[in-house]
Each structure stands twice: as C-alpha cells, then as structure tokens.
Amino acid sequence: MADYDYDLFVIGGGSGGVRAARVAAGEAGARVALAEDDRYGGTCVIRGCVPKKLMVFASEFSGTADVANAYGWNMTSGSFDWSGFRSRLNTELDRLEDVYRSLLKNSGVETFDARATLKDKHTVALSTGETKTAKTILIATGGRPVRPDLPNADLGIVSDDIFHLDTLPKSILIIGGGYIACEFACILHGLGVQVTQYYRGAQILRGFDDEARGLIAEAMRDRGIELHTGTNIVQMGPASDDHSGPVPTASDAAMGASAQQEEIMAYGGVKDDAQGDRTGPVWVKSTNGREQVFDAVLFATGRDPNSTDMGLEEVGIEVGRRGEILVDEYSKTAVDSVYAIGDVTNRVNLTPVAIREGMAFVETAFKDNPTAVDHSLIPSAVFTQPEMGTVGLSEEDAREKEEVEVYCTSFRPMRTAFAGKPDRVLMKLVVSKANRTVLGCHIVAPDAGEMIQLAGVAIKMGATKEDFDRTVAVHPTMSEEIVTMRTPMRTA
Ligand code: FAD
C-alpha cells in the first residue's frame, strides 16, 4: 500500500471543508490536512450568512422608533454610523475566524495558508511550492460572485465588496432578483440608502412560491425600494462630473451599444477577478430607456463554483456547464480518491447542506458507513423584510406533480397593525389531496426563518394536514394560523 503524507487532504476552509476535516480527524482518527487560500470560515462566516445577518439586524432598527412611539414611547431614530458598525463587524469576523482556526487545531488538523490545486489523483500542489500526498482528497472550494459580461462592469461591486465599503452610498442600483439581491435591497434600504433594483424576469425570487414572492415584492415596493421587474441594464460607465451622463470610455468606443445590450441580456457572467476602480458615481442606461446615475451598482447576478485552474480535468474529474464538480450521491467525483462537497458541486448552495455533505462524506470514506446526502425537504429562509421561511414544494411545483389543496391566509400582524402599519404576513400550506401529506409550507412574516425550522421537523416527518389540525394553537401568535386554517382556499 502506498505511503501517503495524510489520510485526507481538504481543499477549502469554509463551512463544508472545516466540518469534514475536523470530524475526520477528531472522530475517525484520520491524519488530516487542510489548505485555505483566503480566510478560515469561508463564504458563510466571512462574506455571506453571518455578516449579512448582522447587517439585517442593523437595518431592522430603522423602523423601531416608529412602532415604539405608537406604543407610547418617545423615541427618535437618529442616524446610522456605518464605520462604527463595520469596525464591530470586523472584530466579530476576526473572532469567528480564530474560532475556526482553533477548531481545526484542536482536532489535530494540520493547516496550510495556501491555494491548492490537484497534481494527480493523490497529490496536492500548494502555492507555497510544496506538494502533499493523501489517500483521499476532498474539494470544498465553494463559489464566487460573477459579474455580467458587460463593458465597464468592473465599475460595479459584488456582494463580497459590501462588507468593505468605506462609506455607504447614498443611492445604489442592485441588479438581480435572487435571494442575495433582494436581501441586500432590504438591508441597504433599512440603512438609509436609496435603493433601485432591476430584475430581468417577471418576478423576483424565482423558484419560490408565487404568492410568497409576490407579497415580498409588494412589501419591498411599499417600503420605498424602487423595484423594476422585466428590466435590465444595457450600458454603464463612469458618470460625468455633473452627473448628467457617461464619460466616454475606450470600451464604449470599441463596442457598439447594440452589442453591449446583447451581452448583458445574455447575463452570461464572467469571473470576478476584475477588481476595477469602483469609486465614483456610475451612469446606467436600462432596457426601459431610463438613464440614471447611482453612487454604486451592485451585481447580484449569480455565483459560479470555484473549480477553475485547479487541474481537475487533467486528473479526470468531470465538471458541468457552470464549472460545478459532478459527483455521485456519496459526493464522489469521477476519480475514486477525490470527493467534492458544498457550493463547488452546485447542488443546494446553503451552509447547513455543505456541512451535512461534509459529515456524510466522513461516514462514507472514513467510517465504513456509506451515507448518501438527503437533499429533500430542506427548510430555508430569505432574510428580506418581511422575511420568508419555506420548506417543500411551492404550490406551482406541487400542482405539476399531483392534485393539491391550498390552505392560505394573509393578515396584518398584531404588533405592527397596532402601530397603523400596512405590513401583511402570509401563511400557506400545500397539501396532497390523495394522502393529506403537507407537501410545502411557506411563511412570509417577521422571524419566518425561525418558524420554518420547526414546521420543517413536522413536514420532514411526513405530517398530514390533520396532524397540523390536531395541534393546539399558541395564542396570540402569528404562527398559530398554521394550525387553524380549516377550509382550503382552492383545489388545483
Ligand atoms: P465556502 O464557504 O465558500 O468555502 C470555500 C473556501 O475554499 C473559501 O474559504 C475559499 O477561500 C477556499 N478556496 C477556494 N479555492 C481554494 C483553493 N484552490 N485552495 C485553497 N482554498 C480555496 N447560506 C445559508 O445557509 N444561509 C444564508 O443566509 C446564506 N446567506 C448567504 C449570503 C451571501 C451574500 C452569500 C454569498 C452566501 C450565502 N449563503 C447562505 C450560502 C453559503 O455561504 C454557502 O452555501 C456556504 O458557505 C458553502 O460552503 P462551502 O464549504 O461549500 O464553501
């Protein structure tokens, strides 16, 4: 048997990689090494879930005084101190990165602060010039934001950049309609930025339940976000000093407007390694003919797997159209000694999923217990304002499969209705007509993410509508409606 430096070499110190490395070392007693070329903790901790959620919390305070005053308080909102918040945020992220480093160290994982690529089926080449061999290699390199292939796109920022802004822009154009675009639209609006959002599709949050996303779009508009669907940008450039139009650039001259339009409409996306000069206002022309100047433009137009220039194809690993590493149900690639988990496989790109895939990998490869990852009925949240919690099938997807009954209610929640606010919440169950199983649950409400975690347990257990009905309501709450809806709104 070949003598390797390690039993396992993990490439990528994010959610999935760190969990797999420390469980393989700590629980399975494997000799493990891990390479990380940026910061430990990865996307979730450094430039995703964690800093974003802290920004959600920060942004929600802007509405507090209004509501509190209706309850008899005498509060004024004051102003938001971005640099004070950002410095606390950085301190917190430094602390968390240290926690991740310590977790690895305390589990006996050897770490390399380096970029790693594959040299052969058992060998990793590090950017330090070293090579290391391992019986098994795990690729957990995550993904990165992409910019549209549009001249001057480097004048825009991507989600990674938000957390490093020196000052908050006064106005921003957000391009995209996915959860990251919508969350940042709400966050920045809450922090006092004038937000315009363009999405080329007919409705934001594609893939989620139609009624739920419709309500969120309406609430975002009601709160003052200028959301334009069916709209895209066709041209952008640095704004002239008087903000009246673009400063002509070399790339404008090299490419006619119609060619530029075709490119942005294709939304193909290019690698985000063009860190251009992003200071100064940006002039934008959109498909609706409007020309406007924004202090910043944020591209939230998708993410691609980090799989390029890693020597994958040379070793025989197969990748898909977007660069995702193709794996079987046990996360094994086309090469027996190499596995891949998390966003780089582009299955379900969420932190808890990457972690589960990491743990299932350790069971399979190190504990003689082949474990396939269960990707069904994953609860998730969209941290817009209002928030959405969702699990299972949307009404539209369920209807494609079988006949369903839809139970749905929308109302003004007590807390803000008392303050005269127009906010509405939505509670919805999609139920199989044949066997009464709850196929999907969709909640739009403050703290919907907290609610859906618990509904997710029941639905994962196969709860029927009658199981929900048998459960006594918790009163007075918003979520009690989920167990008190008696009559289907429609059968479809
Ligand atoms: P990552 O966490 O991306 O880790 C990959 C690591 O590999 C990175 O640290 C990278 O630097 C490193 N790396 C890459 N290439 C190499 C190389 N060649 N050599 C060495 N190291 C390398 N998910 C949720 O569940 N809830 C949320 O609310 C949520 N919000 C999000 C908000 C934003 C703005 C973003 C961008 C993502 C969000 N996500 C959320 C998604 C979540 O962050 C990812 O699904 C998760 O981080 C994926 O984990 P991973 O281990 O696959 O990759």
Side-chain angles (χ1 to χ4, degrees):
M1 189 176 141
D3 195 12
Y4 299 111
D5 296 331
Y6 304 99
D7 299 317
L8 172 65
F9 198 104
V10 179
I11 307 181
S15 307
V18 168
R19 178 61 67 93
R22 72 186 180 89
V23 177
E27 287 181 20
R31 294 171 306 142
V32 183
L34 181 147
E36 167 57 54
D37 74 342
D38 194 341
R39 294 185 65 185
Y40 287 75
T43 303
C44 173
V45 176
I46 305 297
R47 48 194 169 268
C49 329
V50 172
K52 171 200 80 184
K53 189 80 190 274
L54 290 168
M55 284 183 77
V56 169
F57 290 142
S59 70
E60 283 173 345
F61 286 105
S62 60
T64 308
D66 238 14
V67 177
N69 290 345
Y71 281 87
W73 291 90
N74 183 8
M75 279 191 192
T76 43
S77 264
S79 57
F80 177 65
D81 172 14
W82 167 251
S83 71
F85 168 76
R86 202 192 50 181
S87 112
R88 287 184 78 91
L89 178 67
N90 287 336
T91 307
E92 178 62 1
L93 300 188
D94 289 347
R95 185 186 72 80
L96 290 173
E97 188 182 5
D98 282 349
V99 169
Y100 272 76
R101 280 185 186 272
S102 307
L103 285 171
L104 290 168
K105 192 166 171 231
N106 296 341
S107 311
V109 177
E110 192 175 342
T111 52
F112 296 92
D113 292 358
R115 177 172 153 81
T117 53
L118 288 194
K119 194 160 177 235
D120 65 41
K121 292 174 183 182
H122 292 283
T123 309
V124 166
L126 298 175
S127 50
T128 53
E130 297 163 275
T131 55
K132 300 288 173 188
T133 59
K135 182 161 184 264
T136 304
I137 294 170
L138 177 67
I139 304 175
T141 47
R144 64 185 185 286
V146 290
R147 286 158 197 279
D149 193 1
L150 171 81
N152 298 320
D154 61 341
L155 293 172
I157 59 173
V158 291
S159 64
D160 291 358
D161 303 318
I162 291 270
F163 312 107
H164 305 291
L165 292 172
D166 288 335
T167 51
L168 277 184
K170 282 200 175 60
S171 65
I172 193 164
L173 171 65
I174 299 180
I175 314 282
Y179 83 93
I180 292 176
C182 296
E183 289 178 342
F184 278 114
C186 294
I187 290 168
L188 292 169
H189 172 73
L191 297 181
V193 179
Q194 202 184 317
V195 177
T196 304
Q197 184 178 355
Y198 288 173
Y199 176 51
R200 65 179 175 154
Q203 183 57 286
I204 54 166
L205 298 171
R206 187 162 62 91
F208 292 96
D209 185 87
D210 274 358
E211 274 169 339
R213 61 204 191 114
L215 179 58
I216 290 173
E218 214 164 284
M220 285 170 65
R221 287 190 177 109
D222 281 353
R223 283 167 191 236
I225 293 169
E226 223 188 286
L227 170 62
H228 298 268
T229 49
T231 307
N232 208 341
I233 60 171
V234 289
Q235 234 182 314
M236 67 190 287
S240 56
D241 286 343
D242 63 359
H243 286 201
S244 62
V247 174
T249 63
S251 55
D252 289 335
M255 178 180 262
S258 61
Q260 291 176 21
Q261 181 163 347
E262 272 170 33
E263 288 210 357
I264 183 68
M265 294 305 280
Y267 245 14
V270 293
K271 269 200 291 182
D272 182 41
D273 44 15
Q275 304 281 311
D277 170 17
R278 295 186 190 129
T279 53
V282 184
W283 168 88
V284 168
K285 185 172 180 188
S286 58
T287 47
N288 58 17
R290 203 157 136 180
E291 295 185 36
Q292 220 176 326
V293 171
F294 297 92
D295 283 344
V297 174
L298 167 67
F299 289 112
T301 44
R303 295 176 62 80
D304 276 353
N306 278 328
S307 62
T308 38
D309 303 326
M310 284 193 62
L312 302 183
E313 285 91 344
E314 292 83 337
V315 171
I317 292 171
E318 291 170 9
V319 297
R321 202 173 54 86
R322 288 197 73 121
E324 71 278 16
I325 298 181
L326 302 180
V327 290
D328 68 12
E329 59 189 318
Y330 302 102
S331 299
K332 192 197 278 190
T333 69
V335 173
D336 276 352
S337 57
V338 183
Y339 289 70
I341 55 163
D343 285 11
V344 74
T345 61
N346 198 25
R347 287 175 282 180
V348 180
N349 297 337
L350 293 170
T351 287
V353 177
I355 289 172
R356 291 224 159 202
E357 289 170 357
M359 309 229 307
F361 154 75
V362 175
E363 288 293 323
T364 301
F366 290 93
K367 293 190 177 177
D368 205 17
N369 176 29
T371 304
V373 185
D374 177 5
H375 288 109
S376 67
L377 292 173
I378 295 170
S380 67
V382 176
F383 296 100
T384 39
Q385 292 164 30
E387 200 167 296
M388 165 157 57
T390 179
V391 60
L393 297 176
S394 66
E395 179 183 338
E396 296 69 40
D397 287 348
R399 272 201 261 135
E400 293 285 308
K401 290 186 191 297
E402 59 180 292
E403 215 181 328
V404 293
E405 280 183 358
V406 177
Y407 296 80
C408 188
T409 180
S410 175
F411 55 95
R412 290 170 69 204
M414 197 186 207
R415 183 174 176 277
T416 42
F418 181 80
K421 298 265 173 199
D423 308 17
R424 296 194 76 76
V425 308
L426 174 91
M427 304 273 163
K428 180 167 177 178
L429 292 178
V430 183
V431 177
S432 161
K433 195 143 187 252
N435 62 18
R436 311 294 297 148
T437 306
V438 177
L439 302 171
C441 176
H442 312 283
I443 301 176
V444 179
D447 295 325
E450 305 290 344
M451 296 182 207
I452 207 69
Q453 180 70 80
L454 303 179
V457 177
I459 290 168
K460 186 77 184 165
M461 289 173 75
T464 61
K465 176 66 172 66
E466 284 63 38
D467 291 325
F468 275 70
D469 294 346
R470 284 191 295 119
T471 308
V472 175
V474 179
H475 183 73
T477 63
M478 290 177 285
S479 54
E480 68 181 296
E481 297 289 331
I482 215 81
V483 296
T484 56
M485 292 185 286
R486 289 286 176 262
T487 320
M489 179 176 256
R490 58 186 168 270
T491 303

